Amino acid sequence: MILKCVFFIVSGFVLLSINNLAQVTKASVNQLAFMAGTWTQKNGWGDMEEFWGEPMGDSIISSFRVVKDGKAAFYEFVVIEEQNHLPVFKMRHYNRGSIGWEEKDKPLLFYLVGIEKNKADFELKDKSVRITYQLVSPDKLDVTLVEKDKKGKLKKDIFNYSRKK
């Protein structure tokens, strides 16, 4: 009986947490200003650099690159624009030579599913990829990427960026 009660309590908290993430109904790109800056990290992929501009109007822009063995491996370009009073994260990938991965009129669209002070969660509509940005200190930005692999198993990568001086 006690185990049943614990199960229902835990299940309730999980459902409330999921519902809270899905209930973002209004936010502004200005709430994402904590992401602004140039952020760097070295990891197995190579030397990574992610730049986020300050919010301007109803948008923010970002560029990202990975350099391995002195050569650019790939790039990303992100625009976050407000649509219906919510920031929408629009991403495109490029190979070396500026060869796009996505079709020209179909960027990856990530929707804001959670927002707190210095933290934002974005997720694809099909929930196969989630990206979380969290400013953990003035000079540290963690980016957590959770995505399903081809077998449907969740894979989690955490990128611990430092502010470029």
Side-chain angles (χ1 to χ4, degrees), residues 32-42 48-54 118 134-142 159-165:
L32 305 174
F34 70 89
M35 295 162 52
T38 301
W39 305 94
T40 61
Q41 175 191 346
K42 293 181 185 295
M48 300 167 64
E49 180 182 62
E50 188 161 338
F51 163 80
W52 282 94
E54 294 282 343
N118 296 330
Q134 183 171 11
L135 187 68
V136 294
S137 74
D139 291 327
K140 300 287 181 190
L141 180 73
D142 284 355
F159 303 98
N160 306 111
Y161 287 104
S162 296
R163 188 179 299 275
K164 188 174 181 180
K165 304 282 181 190

Side-chain angles (χ1 to χ4, degrees), residues 122-133:
F122 294 91
E123 192 169 67
L124 286 178
K125 192 173 192 174
D126 69 1
K127 300 184 185 311
S128 63
V129 181
R130 177 181 283 224
I131 302 173
T132 300
Y133 289 84

Side-chain angles (χ1 to χ4, degrees), residues 73-134:
F74 74 95
Y75 308 96
E76 294 174 350
F77 184 74
V78 175
V79 175
I80 299 178
E81 297 173 320
E82 282 185 34
Q83 290 178 211
N84 300 318
H85 307 290
L86 283 172
V88 177
F89 184 108
K90 302 171 183 183
M91 175 189 279
R92 293 182 181 279
H93 295 87
Y94 298 88
N95 283 337
R96 185 174 175 78
S98 197
I99 308 301
W101 298 7
E102 292 82 21
E103 293 181 39
K104 71 176 184 174
D105 60 344
K106 294 185 179 159
L108 295 174
L109 299 176
F110 292 81
Y111 298 93
L112 186 69
V113 294
I115 186 87
E116 299 173 26
K117 181 179 170 93
N118 296 330
K119 184 178 179 185
D121 296 296
F122 294 91
E123 192 169 67
L124 286 178
K125 192 173 192 174
D126 69 1
K127 300 184 185 311
S128 63
V129 181
R130 177 181 283 224
I131 302 173
T132 300
Y133 289 84
Q134 183 171 11

